[in-house]
Amino acid sequence: MLTTCCLPLTQEPLTAGQAESLAHGFKAVGDPIRLRLLSLIASQDGGEVCVCELNDGFELTGPTISHHLKVLREAGLITSERRGTWVYYRAVPEVMARLSAVLAPAAERV
Amino acid sequence: MLTTCCLPLTQEPLTAGQAESLAHGFKAVGDPIRLRLLSLIASQDGGEVCVCELNDGFELTGPTISHHLKVLREAGLITSERRGTWVYYRAVPEVMARLSAVLAPAAERV
DNA sequence: AAACTGTCTAGACAAGCATCGAAACAGTCC
DNA sequence: GGACTGTTTCGATGCTTGTCTAGACAGTTT
């Protein structure tokens, strides 16, 4: 996963290995539904949100939402925690920040 | 395309329209080859690079590289300019910055 | 333990996508 | 205009992915 990485790519070309790893993260948010799910989770006051609340915002079935959440989880962008019958999701800011940094303008080179 | 957008998604959930637009950009860089191509173009001294130079760095055929460049171009991440038989590519920093900003940590809220 | 609610996983299917070789297009040189 | 180089587009193919339903799993209540 995204264990070590990366200067803005405006400064230095990515290696094949870095690109492979980063692309996995970008591909995860390269779907509108998943991007919206991540935004709902990441913007949540209190830092976490129950999957039962997420389902309501989409016209997709529960299994489909669950599948999308799994993709985000496997990309390291969110974590999940079961409490009783309920499952709560949190965003992982560090992973988002890494993806963000790679595309950042060169002006942030300092 | 990415005409108007977007606070960090940690601050506010994305609308379906915003997500649709942004996801298009993220999907474009969600492929390792395309991510490497973008990094080669964006990090180039002089700001532009000839496609003939790009092809050498990959074990793919010319048409495949051309296809990938087209995906990046349609996502607005690069522009192309033909000069004689040669075609030169440039990165579009503003579009990269927009994608970067969306995933930026909330700490940049100021 | 059985019945219930909530959630995830598996499998099928249709749509989308990365790759190649062939063909078309763009420009240069003779 | 024809031959050439460089590049892009087209179409076929095999692989990947988004979506659904069915079923399995996790936890709670009776």
Side-chain angles (χ1 to χ4, degrees):
Chain A
M1 229 306 16
L2 301 174
T3 54
T4 77
C5 226
C6 285
L7 294 177
L9 55 75
T10 49
Q11 293 189 33
E12 187 171 290
L14 298 169
T15 66
Q18 291 172 325
E20 188 76 39
S21 181
L22 288 163
H24 187 46
F26 286 123
K27 177 174 284 193
V29 293
D31 173 77
I33 302 294
R34 285 203 289 279
L35 191 51
R36 280 183 62 201
L37 281 169
L38 181 61
S39 76
L40 284 169
I41 295 168
S43 64
Q44 192 70 16
D45 286 340
E48 68 180 13
V49 59
C50 170
V51 60
C52 57
E53 294 171 50
L54 291 174
N55 287 331
D56 293 341
F58 300 86
E59 297 187 341
L60 302 175
T61 65
T64 301
I65 300 294
S66 204
H67 164 77
H68 280 308
L69 289 170
K70 180 176 180 180
V71 173
L72 288 171
R73 199 168 67 240
E74 290 179 343
L77 286 158
I78 60 174
T79 60
S80 62
E81 180 181 356
R82 183 177 273 271
R83 278 187 233 129
T85 62
W86 310 89
V87 177
Y88 291 82
Y89 287 88
R90 286 177 179 274
V92 183
E94 295 78 20
V95 177
M96 285 169 60
R98 284 200 187 104
L99 293 182
S100 173
V102 167
L103 296 176
E108 305 202 4
R109 180 183 301 198
V110 181
Chain B
M1 226 298 34
L2 300 175
T3 53
T4 77
C5 228
C6 283
L7 294 177
L9 56 73
T10 49
Q11 291 189 34
E12 188 172 292
L14 297 169
T15 66
Q18 291 172 324
E20 187 76 39
S21 181
L22 288 163
H24 188 46
F26 286 125
K27 178 173 283 192
V29 293
D31 173 79
I33 301 294
R34 285 201 291 278
L35 192 51
R36 281 182 61 202
L37 281 169
L38 181 60
S39 76
L40 285 169
I41 295 167
S43 62
Q44 193 70 16
D45 287 341
E48 69 180 11
V49 59
C50 169
V51 60
C52 57
E53 294 172 51
L54 291 174
N55 286 331
D56 291 341
F58 300 85
E59 298 187 340
L60 302 175
T61 65
T64 301
I65 301 293
S66 201
H67 165 77
H68 281 308
L69 290 170
K70 180 176 179 178
V71 174
L72 288 172
R73 198 168 68 241
E74 289 179 342
L77 286 157
I78 60 174
T79 60
S80 62
E81 181 182 354
R82 183 176 273 273
R83 278 187 236 128
T85 62
W86 310 89
V87 177
Y88 290 84
Y89 286 86
R90 289 176 177 274
V92 183
E94 295 78 21
V95 178
M96 285 170 62
R98 284 202 188 103
L99 293 182
S100 175
V102 167
L103 297 176
E108 304 201 7
R109 180 183 301 195
V110 183

